[in-house]
Each structure stands twice: as C-alpha cells, then as structure tokens.
Amino acid sequence: MKTSLAVWKFASCDGCQLTLLDCEDELLPLTERITIAHFLEADSSTVEGPYDVSLVEGSVTTEADVARIGRIRENSKVLVSIGACATAGGVQALRNLGDINEFASIVYARPDYIDTLATSTPIASHVEVDYELHGCPIDKGQLLEFLGALLTGRKPRLPAHSVCFECKASGTTCLMVAEGRPCLGPVTRAGCGAICPRYSRGCFGCFGPAPGANTPALRHQLTQLGMPAVHQDRVLRTFTPEAYDDAST
Amino acid sequence: MTHRHDRLLHVAALARVEGEGAMRVRVTGDTVTEVQLDIYEPPRFFEALLRGRGHTEPPDITSRICGICPVAYQMSACAAIEDACGITVDSGIQDLRRLLYCGEWISSHALHIYLLHAPDFLGYSGAVDMARDQRPVVERGLRLKQAGNMIMERLGGRAIHPVNVRIGGFHRLPTRTELDSLVAPLTRALDDALDTVTMAAGFDFPEYECRHEWLALVDPRQRYPIDGGVPHTSQGSFPLREYTSHVVEHQVSHSTALHARLADGSRPLTGPLARYALNHDRLSPLARQTARSAGLDSVCRNPFRSIIVRAVETVYAVEEALRIIASYEPPPRPAVPVPPVAAIGYGATEAPRGVLFHSYTLDDSGTVLAANIVPPTAQNQTAMEHDLRGFVQDHLTLDDHSLTHACEQAIRNYDPCISCSTHFLDLTVERG
C-alpha cells in the first residue's frame, strides 16, 4: 500500500511546495512509493482523505483558513508544516508588529473588500503539528531526507543546531570572525547547508532561530561590529518576524 | 448541447496554476452575461510591509512574493532602487543578472509547459499521471527544468529565493569553474528545448483569436527583452516612470488582486504572446527558425498556442545562457556601491509571465517611504476574463464538463501566477 500524500497551501509564495517539484531526479521514483492524493499545484485530480501525510505550506490569515486547517488536521495521520510561513507566520507576519488597517489601506483603495485577519500565524498556533520543516524556502535535501525517513519508518533527522555547525562542516571561513561582518549564523537553525556564507554573505536568518538561540549575545556582537539596533531589529524581524524575539525571552 | 435555460458549472479549485483563485461564468440563455476571475489568495500586503525598510532589503523581501519567479522580483527591485540612486552596474554584472534570469525562464517555462499545461493537451490530470504512459517526455521536462535550476543554484546559491543577489550586483562572483560546469547540462537542455517546441507544435489547439493590446518591454540593446527595456504597446512606447499612468490598476470587489487597463481603456496582455509579437525579430536565428518550423507567424493571437511561444523562448534562454557563459569576462567587482539618495526609482523586467514593474520612494538615508509593485497576472486579469467570456460564448454547445475543462485550460494559457498577483483558481460556470 503506497503512502498517500496531500499538499496544502495557505498564505505563501508557493516556493515550499515547489521544492517538491524541484526534486527533479527523485520526483518520479518517489511516486512509486507515494500516491500524490491532493496537490493542486501539480495535479487536477484529487483523492478524498484521510491522508497518511499532509504537507502544509503557508500561514493562517483568514477566518476561512482557521476552519480549513482544522479539517486538514482531522483528515491527516501525520501533519507537517513546511517553511517559514507555516512554522513562524512568514514575512507577512510583519503585520503582527503593525496595524492591519493601515497595511490594508496602503495596498487597497477599498480595504473593506478585503477579508483578512489582523495576524498571520503559524499552523501550530491552530492545530497540533507532528513535524516542522523550517526555511524560506525549505531545503530540498532536507525534504527528501524527511520523506525517506517517513517511508522507511525511522525518525527523520531534523537539525536542532545552528548554521555555524554547517559552516564549520563545509570548511567555510567565518565571515564574522575573519572579516568582522554581521551574520545571524550563530542563532539561526541549520538546514540550508550554510549557503549564504559560501556566497560571501552573512546569514540573514531565513530558517528562523535555532533552539536555545542566544539572541541577546548575538545582538551584543552585532553592536560591537557597528550594526545599529534598528538594523538588528530589521534583520531579525523579516522572514520569521517574531520568532527571534520569542527565542531570546 | 443542452439548451436548458439555466446552467451552472463549478470547479471548486482550478489546478495546475500557481496560487489560489476562483472562476465564475454566468450563462443566461445563449449569452455569457458575467465572467469573474476571483483571486481569493489571501493578501500579504508586501507594499505596506516594505515601508520603513532599508533600500538594500527589497530584493530579498519581494522575492518572497513568488517562489516560481523570485529572480524577476529581485531584478525589478534592483533596477528600481538603482534607478532611484542613479547607479548603473558594470556590464559584466548585467550579463550575470541576465544569465540568472535565463535560469529562471528555463525553469519556470519548463514547469509550466510540462507540469501545468501539456497535461491539458494530452489528456492527463498532471505530470505524474502523464509519466505512467509517457515517462521519457516527463523526464525530458524535468531535465530541462533542472538545467534552469542549476543556473540559479550555481550563480544564485539556490533555485528558490536565490541569496546571491544584492542591489549593485552580487555578493560573490561565480568562478569560471562554476560557470563552466553549466555548459554540459545546458548543451543537453538545448536539444530538450528544441524537442519541446516540436512536441508543443504537434498539440491540437482550439480555434480562438484574442484581441488584446500587447504590453511588453523592448530592449534598446536590440536583444530579446528579459532583464530590462522600455515599455511598449502596439501603439508605441512610453517612459518607464510613467508606467502607472499608462497601465492603470483598479480594484474590483471579487478579487484580492488588482485589475489593470491601459489608459485608453483597452485590455493589456503581457507575457509570451506580447513579448513575441513586439520582439520576434530579436530572437536568435535558431529560435526564429524554430518558431517558423512550429508554424508561428510574426504574431500569434491564439492564447492556447502560447505554449509554443514559451517553448521557443526556452530555446532562446538556453542559447542565451550558453552565449553569456562563453563570452563572460568577470567584472572588476561583485557589486557597485549604491549610496542612498532621496528619490523615486522605477524598474521593470520581463518575468516569465510578463512585465513586472516596481517603484520605490526612498529618503536620503535609504529608508523605503513607499513601494508600488505591478505584477504580470494582475495586468492580465482583464484579458483572462475577456478570453473566458469569448471562449465560453463560442463553445456553448459543449457539455458542462467539457466546457469547464476548456475554461481551466484557457486560464492556464496565461500561466497565472496568483501568489504574485496577491496566487490558485477555483472555477464556477453558472448557466443561469
């Protein structure tokens, strides 16, 4: 019996579900083990639940979606939220730090036509989530490792350490130590393979905080490197706007 | 046909598009009386949340509007901010940007052709279903998509939301070895792209002719437009800074995406058909010859045949990527400094789905005071609704199931990127 997989979208850019289609070499072999039962971006036929595994992309931003995620939970044996929107509210959670009415009035001439909640919240704020894959977007290798683990019945290896570990493992020179450049690597969850430092760029936190992240200590270091507090706030509050605040309290 | 007076067709979720939306068509008697493309994708308020951000941030933030065309967002944002700050990047950087963008075109067009659109013509629900009978075809599509993604991975760090782009250029220049590693997969991709044109040209296309006003960039460098150019319609050109007075957005009650009209009231059509109509003579000789062999004249007005134009553009993008790699001379620095200036800047590039316009108002510290983003799908909404009206009117003899399927296909012609325009479609045809 093949494992049935459903893919769902809430407020998001489609990038995390696209990651599944970006598994070009593995996609067709995967379908020998997995039935894609519901994945509207990729297939117009859908199979009724219940589903063995649901991957949920995007954050909850409307009343209708609050109800929809409840129904998906009831219909899914394993529910996995994928990506920064689903795990932390995403870039659209910047509204949580501002005024939704002001946001709507800036974008729309008739904000009254727009149906939205004042907040953008992660899936786990609404229903019980079995696993979370972090990242903006999620990493393809990690998604394959995760699906492989589920198919073979073992526990998936999901990193709980920081990007610094991946940098060290790949032999990348530390930008902060060697060049005095700001980097969120010490407080950011691993999983991307430490791409940015390999491209001569400090980590900008798109996987959100690592468990136990010591954000105040990093802020102190960023201040030492001459980064004003307002810039620190911006870089920490972008793709997972509230997560670093939570991690450091 | 069923000449019953009231008809209602409903597809709760249109598949194989990017994002979420609904389609409502009302037919009264023998007349289509109402067509609404309802983009119910929840709004994400990007233009609002960009306010107060630094001028270096929009390329990374706006790339999150769309996972399928993040490079388009990065490139239009860079162009607009560099325009505000009065900066022109080195030509080598410009070439690398075009190369990165070719990667996105190849990947996005291959995704649309093989995974979203071809199943309509071949009678499958999707590519996985199609792979049961036609595995080599689907594998070719995936291989082509992968070639595009490899460009974005090598040069941009990753295929979705590349990390290496910054205003002024790149964080790090690619090494010669990194670029050379792309030659073999791209050489194979060129054969795959040519085979794709042959495949697409062999599909059965419904008879339908659209009369919209073309809207595309024309690149003053005499190249096919990708990474920049001057906005054109068939009436002529207009300055980029006047974009929003020529392409006027308005809000409708049934959609979270804005609609657009041209200033004279006509319906704009942006994307492959418009680009091709206004620029086909700037394609490479091979791409032009391929287009001719596929039966395309200098203008194609059948939106169902846009899949052929996308395939021709894919041939061009693969060749262009190979050309850029072969002639690449590393620029003196990865990025040009972009000190902030209090000013308004404008930028537009050709996303795979059409013109993507950005403008930013900056203060002298570089803080974004206002942002305006006009994505292709929003500009095409009026044309899409019009096509549906015309197509349904011409095919009322079809039964509800076939008509509904044809409407979905008509929407997919546009490869609508609904996450961009605010992103999934839900189709209702009401015969009332």
Side-chain angles (χ1 to χ4, degrees), chain A residues 2 8-19 21-25 27-29 31-32 34 36 39-45 57 59 61-62 65 68 85 91-95 97 100 102-117 135-138 140 181 192 195-202 204 206-207 233-235 237-239, chain B residues 13-20 41-49 51-55 57 60-61 63-68 107 111 115-116 124-129 131-132 135 138-139 142-143 145-147 149 152-165 171-172 178 251-258 367 371 408 412 419 421-424:
Chain A
K2 292 207 274 187
W8 307 95
K9 173 182 160 61
F10 288 76
S12 66
C13 77
D14 277 40
C16 291
Q17 50 178 313
L18 178 64
T19 304
L21 299 178
D22 273 0
C23 298
E24 290 100 357
D25 291 336
L27 185 63
L28 295 179
T31 60
E32 287 156 18
I34 290 176
I36 297 182
F39 185 7
L40 283 178
E41 187 177 21
D43 202 300
S44 51
S45 71
E57 170 190 276
S59 65
T61 62
T62 66
D65 280 349
R68 187 161 65 103
C85 300
V91 65
Q92 59 270 9
L94 282 164
R95 76 180 72 177
L97 309 169
I100 190 65
E102 188 197 353
F103 269 43
S105 68
I106 288 167
V107 179
Y108 294 103
R110 291 291 304 266
D112 52 309
Y113 289 169
I114 299 302
D115 172 30
T116 184
L117 294 170
C136 183
I138 57 169
K140 185 166 78 175
R181 288 162 59 185
C192 62
I195 303 168
C196 289
R198 287 193 278 116
Y199 280 79
S200 195
R201 171 180 194 177
F204 58 99
C206 69
F207 272 57
D233 289 344
R234 280 187 195 152
V235 70
R237 293 178 184 157
T238 306
F239 303 108
Chain B
L14 183 66
R16 286 184 275 119
V17 294
E18 297 138 14
E20 299 196 308
E41 175 86 13
R44 291 182 292 147
F45 304 110
F46 274 88
E47 288 149 318
L49 60 83
R51 291 186 172 202
R53 290 278 164 169
H55 75 311
E57 295 184 89
D60 284 323
I61 291 178
S63 67
R64 269 63 183 186
I65 292 175
C66 181
I68 290 107
S107 174
L111 171 78
L115 273 63
L116 310 183
Y124 295 98
S125 65
V128 171
D129 183 30
R132 274 190 270 276
R135 192 168 177 120
V138 176
E139 286 178 339
L142 290 169
R143 198 165 58 226
K145 186 162 98 56
Q146 188 174 43
N149 278 345
M152 289 195 282
E153 286 163 7
R154 297 277 193 285
L155 180 53
R158 64 185 172 197
I160 302 168
H161 308 324
V163 304
N164 194 18
V165 172
H171 291 278
R172 166 168 85 65
E178 282 170 325
Q251 191 183 359
V252 294
S253 60
H254 62 265
S255 180
T256 48
L258 302 177
T367 303
E408 288 182 82
R412 280 188 212 108
S419 288
S421 57
T422 85
H423 207 173
F424 220 91

Side-chain angles (χ1 to χ4, degrees), chain A residues 152-164:
Chain A
T152 51
R154 69 170 166 79
K155 194 163 182 277
R157 286 190 292 269
L158 296 174
H161 47 268
S162 76
V163 169
C164 287

Side-chain angles (χ1 to χ4, degrees), chain B residues 388-425:
Chain B
L388 276 156
R389 179 185 292 268
F391 189 74
V392 171
Q393 186 66 59
D394 291 351
H395 294 83
L396 285 173
T397 50
L398 293 177
D399 63 34
D400 287 1
H401 177 80
S402 310
L403 188 56
T404 301
H405 178 74
C407 287
E408 288 182 82
Q409 195 180 349
I411 293 167
R412 280 188 212 108
N413 290 333
Y414 285 83
D415 188 11
C417 195
I418 299 169
S419 288
C420 288
S421 57
T422 85
H423 207 173
F424 220 91
L425 293 174

Side-chain angles (χ1 to χ4, degrees), chain B residues 17 30 88 121 123 136 138 148 196 198 204 206 327 375:
Chain B
V17 294
D30 288 330
T88 306
F121 294 100
V138 176
T196 304
T198 308
D204 276 334
S327 63

Side-chain angles (χ1 to χ4, degrees), chain B residues 242-314:
Chain B
E242 293 173 12
Y243 198 87
T244 53
S245 3
H246 290 264
V247 182
V248 183
E249 284 188 306
H250 62 276
Q251 191 183 359
V252 294
S253 60
H254 62 265
S255 180
T256 48
L258 302 177
H259 277 225
R261 286 267 182 188
L262 294 177
D264 65 3
S266 57
R267 296 178 304 276
L269 174 67
T270 189
L273 293 184
R275 272 195 300 259
Y276 181 80
L278 297 175
N279 294 281
H280 65 276
D281 54 343
R282 292 159 181 229
L283 284 167
S284 60
L286 176 63
R288 267 204 309 273
Q289 181 203 326
T290 308
R292 271 197 306 273
S293 322
L296 291 178
D297 296 325
S298 56
V299 170
C300 171
R301 287 199 173 273
N302 182 343
F304 291 90
R305 292 164 73 91
S306 61
I307 192 169
I308 311 178
V309 180
R310 282 193 180 83
V312 169
E313 288 191 336
T314 308

